[in-house]
Amino acid sequence: MASTVEIAAHFGAEAPADLVIPSETTEGLPGIVVLKRDGQRRVRSLTWGFPRLSREAQRRGEDPSRVGMVADLTNPMWDALVLDPRYRCLIVLTHFANPDGDPGAKTRTWFSVRDRPILAWAGFCRNTPEFGPVYAGMTMDANAAIPPTNDRMPVLLEPQDYDRWLHGSIQDVIGFQFGQPVAADRMIVERSDDRWRSDGLPSRQPRLALL
C-alpha cells in the first residue's frame, strides 16, 4: 500500500499527516483524491458516489442512491458540473476491478497499468447536502484488454495531463473522454477466484485498490 508521502510526492501535493489510505474502495466508502485549491494540489479523503434521488424514490420516502461513474456528460446531473474546473479532481488508484463470469458467481478481474504504479482517474467532486464531500469518475470506451468484463473503463490520465484535466476547458474534458484509452498492451490483467463482493485483493498487493 502506498504511503501518504508516496502519493503526495507523485502528485506534487500537500497531504495531511493523519490521512488514512484505504486498501480498497467501493461506492459509498472513502477514497483518495487530489484537488487543486488556492494554487496548491491537496490530497484528501472523499466518499465515492454522488447522490441520486429520482422523483419516484422521493415520493416513496427512500434515501438517495449513489452514482460513481460519469458516462454521459450531457446528463442534467453532470452538465453544469463538468463546465467548472473547480469541481475536477484526480482520483488516486493503482488497480480497478470488474465483475467477471456467470451471473450469481461473478469473480473479480483486476486491471492495472504496468508502467504506472500510481494512477490518476479523471474525476469530479463536490460538497453535497446528502453525503458531504463526494467524487465520481469519468468513463470512456474500453481498450481491448477490458472486455468481456466491461465495454467501458476509467479515463486514466498521464502525469503530463494532470494540469490540463484540473484546469482545462469543456473541450478538454470531452477530448479526454473521447480520446484514445491507455493502450491494451500496457495493461496487466489479473483474474482471481475472489467473489465480486469480497475482500480479496490482487496477488501483487496493490498500493491502493479501487473497485
Side-chain angles (χ1 to χ4, degrees):
M1 181 183 302
S3 68
T4 301
V5 171
E6 288 175 304
I7 293 172
H10 175 82
F11 289 98
E14 170 274 331
D18 60 351
L19 184 71
V20 176
I21 309 297
S23 62
E24 164 178 315
T25 299
T26 58
E27 285 186 8
L29 295 179
I32 303 300
V33 305
V34 176
L35 313 169
K36 190 72 172 285
R37 295 292 184 267
D38 301 321
Q40 171 70 43
R41 292 183 186 175
R42 304 180 188 276
V43 184
R44 295 291 183 264
S45 176
L46 277 62
T47 305
W48 187 11
F50 275 67
R52 176 175 60 184
L53 186 62
S54 67
R55 290 191 180 91
E56 293 75 14
Q58 194 169 15
R59 282 198 297 267
R60 293 193 295 266
E62 297 177 359
D63 293 330
S65 59
R66 286 187 182 266
V67 181
M69 308 286 187
V70 182
D72 180 5
L73 297 177
T74 66
N75 186 307
M77 184 173 182
W78 311 116
D79 57 1
L81 188 76
V82 300
L83 290 169
D84 193 334
R86 292 179 300 169
Y87 300 121
R88 303 207 195 123
C89 64
L90 305 169
I91 303 167
V92 183
L93 67 154
T94 61
H95 297 66
F96 63 94
N98 285 330
D100 199 356
D102 297 326
K106 290 188 179 293
T107 57
R108 295 178 173 193
T109 291
W110 292 89
F111 301 90
S112 58
V113 179
R114 66 179 71 253
D115 56 341
R116 295 287 180 208
I118 297 178
L119 299 170
W121 179 12
F124 302 96
C125 58
R126 193 168 198 170
N127 197 8
T128 65
E130 298 90 344
F131 298 143
V134 298
Y135 70 89
M138 188 166 70
T139 64
M140 67 190 312
D141 287 342
N143 64 32
I146 308 300
T149 65
N150 207 319
D151 60 3
R152 305 284 293 177
M153 67 178 291
V155 177
L156 301 176
L157 302 170
E158 302 292 344
Q160 63 267 24
D161 293 324
Y162 293 172
D163 272 334
R164 188 156 67 96
W165 172 255
L166 291 171
H167 300 289
S169 66
I170 183 60
Q171 287 76 25
D172 290 312
V173 173
I174 293 168
F176 282 122
Q177 186 173 51
F178 291 96
Q180 290 297 315
V182 172
D185 61 8
R186 290 175 64 193
M187 303 293 294
I188 298 173
V189 181
E190 299 177 87
R191 293 180 171 83
S192 77
D193 294 326
D194 296 319
R195 297 296 294 270
W196 171 241
R197 298 298 181 189
S198 73
D199 294 326
L201 298 177
S203 59
R204 291 189 296 116
Q205 289 301 306
R207 294 181 176 181
L208 180 66
L210 185 85
L211 291 182

